[in-house]
Amino acid sequence: MILTDLEATILGVILEGILYGAYVVLFILYLALQHRYNRGFGGSVILAQMLLFGLCTVSMCLSMPMAYFYRRDTWCGVASKLNFGIIVIFTITDSLAQMILLYRCWMVWGRRWVVVAVPGFLVLMALGGGIAALGLFAAADPVNYSLEGAHQAYLCTTAAYSISFVANALITSLIVIKIFLASREVCPDLGSNLHQSLRVITAMLIESGLLMFAFQLVLVVLFSMQHIAISFIAFPITQICGITTALLNIRVVVGSTYGETTEKIPSLRFAHSGEAAAQTTGPSTSAAEAQSRNINTEPDGGLNNERVMDIAA
């Protein structure tokens, strides 16, 4: 059975509503954990997450009437304006989510700017391409625009989505590689330890933004093909951006993320080393253990204040 454009749009809005409900639960949980661990609500990361939630809420509010007006030919202009607003929100949401993931990548690689220079530049390029595409859409007639104008807008949008996907692929790969290298240093027998392997895989899936990466891949492929199923993905992907970053920030708040630098790995091994324990007194050993459990104590209301996962225990 082949879906029509209207059916794909309605199914996409329904899926977006389900994902928005899940995002509401995660966002409330995130705020509760922030309050429980006394992280405060003034950090840049939590403010970005609040902005993401607000944008996702507005997107959900626009999607429902857009699906209704889309069914009425006489209201085609209204549906086009609502759809334009949804595209604007997605452009901002995608860039903001990419920046949060980029910030996470910067943190796990020891705040090395050279590592995030290329993906950061691609994120800015994608944002610029998205703004240019929005300008082409806004300048066109919402009902009877020319084929040339439609083709230009299509090419610009395809380029913006593709660049954003490449940036996300780089960020995801860098985070996955860093988590893998850090886990191998802390636990050399990782392959034979099922429990630790599952923890590493979970960290890779959540902290690297693989969920957002998968949806972006489907979006780029369907949009480049101009497939009818694009409406089924285009609506919920905005919520995916919020869910991906919310899951990451929840792990950061509860201290389940990996450390930022490989230099912190030796302190983990030092705390569990029998040789070191024999050479140190009780108080110094306790200090080493405390250091291994909570190395970075810089307050930033967000990703800076995190603890290293104790995977060597």
Side-chain angles (χ1 to χ4, degrees):
M1 179 180 178
I2 301 178
L3 294 176
T4 64
D5 190 31
L6 175 60
E7 291 172 341
T9 300
I10 294 176
L11 290 176
V13 172
I14 293 175
L15 179 58
E16 182 183 13
I18 295 174
L19 292 175
Y20 177 72
Y23 185 28
V24 170
V25 175
L26 290 174
F27 184 71
I28 294 175
L29 176 62
Y30 174 55
L31 294 181
L33 291 172
Q34 281 284 128
H35 177 71
R36 177 181 177 181
Y37 288 94
N38 297 320
R39 295 300 184 91
F41 296 94
S44 57
V45 175
I46 189 173
L47 292 178
Q49 192 65 58
M50 289 180 176
L51 178 58
L52 268 178
F53 181 77
L55 292 171
C56 291
T57 302
V58 175
S59 177
M60 186 70 247
C61 293
L62 293 179
S63 297
M64 292 185 292
M66 186 269 178
Y68 171 77
F69 286 122
Y70 192 80
R71 300 174 56 188
R72 303 164 63 98
D73 295 336
T74 55
W75 291 93
C76 183
V78 176
S80 297
K81 292 178 181 178
L82 292 173
N83 186 52
F84 179 78
I86 294 172
I87 297 175
V88 171
I89 292 175
F90 170 69
T91 302
I92 301 174
T93 301
D94 177 66
S95 299
L96 188 58
Q98 296 273 32
M99 290 178 183
I100 293 177
L101 291 175
L102 187 68
Y103 178 76
R104 176 61 187 163
C105 181
W106 178 66
M107 291 293 293
V108 299
W109 279 97
R111 305 182 184 185
R112 299 174 185 173
W113 291 103
V114 66
V115 176
V116 299
V118 173
F121 177 72
L122 292 176
V123 170
L124 295 178
M125 283 186 61
L127 177 60
I131 294 175
L134 291 173
L136 292 174
F137 279 118
D141 189 330
V143 180
N144 299 312
Y145 52 85
S146 64
L147 292 178
E148 181 180 356
H151 184 65
Q152 292 177 351
Y154 163 74
L155 292 178
C156 193
T157 304
T158 303
Y161 287 172
S162 300
I163 295 174
S164 178
F165 168 74
V166 173
N168 196 357
L170 287 176
I171 296 172
T172 298
S173 300
L174 287 170
I175 295 177
V176 167
I177 291 172
K178 186 60 177 180
I179 291 177
F180 177 76
L181 293 177
S183 63
R184 293 291 295 180
E185 289 188 35
V186 176
C187 188
D189 59 339
L190 184 64
S192 59
N193 192 326
L194 179 60
H195 175 68
Q196 301 298 349
S197 298
L198 290 177
R199 295 184 67 178
V200 172
I201 293 174
T202 301
M204 290 180 178
L205 291 175
I206 296 179
E207 296 184 39
S208 64
L210 277 174
L211 178 63
M212 182 176 165
F213 170 80
F215 268 77
Q216 274 197 326
L217 174 61
V218 177
L219 176 68
V220 170
V221 172
L222 292 180
F223 188 84
S224 61
M225 296 172 56
Q226 287 293 282
H227 197 277
I228 199 70
I230 183 64
S231 298
F232 183 71
I233 297 296
F235 289 97
I237 195 172
T238 302
Q239 308 301 329
I240 291 297
C241 294
I243 290 175
T244 301
T245 55
L247 288 172
L248 168 61
N249 290 331
I250 287 174
R251 283 181 61 86
V252 170
V253 172
V254 300
S256 296
T257 54
Y258 276 78
E260 293 129 35
T261 63
T262 54
E263 287 78 4
K264 295 177 181 179
I265 301 299
S267 63
L268 281 173
R269 282 190 282 206
F270 174 79
H272 296 280
S273 172
E275 180 182 356
Q279 295 177 356
T280 56
T281 61
S284 61
T285 303
S286 300
E289 292 178 353
Q291 182 183 10
S292 68
R293 298 180 188 278
N294 193 359
I295 300 174
N296 184 21
T297 57
E298 298 179 6
D300 189 23
L303 294 178
N304 283 357
N305 192 4
E306 55 186 55
R307 291 173 291 173
V308 177
M309 180 185 292
D310 191 12
I311 64 175

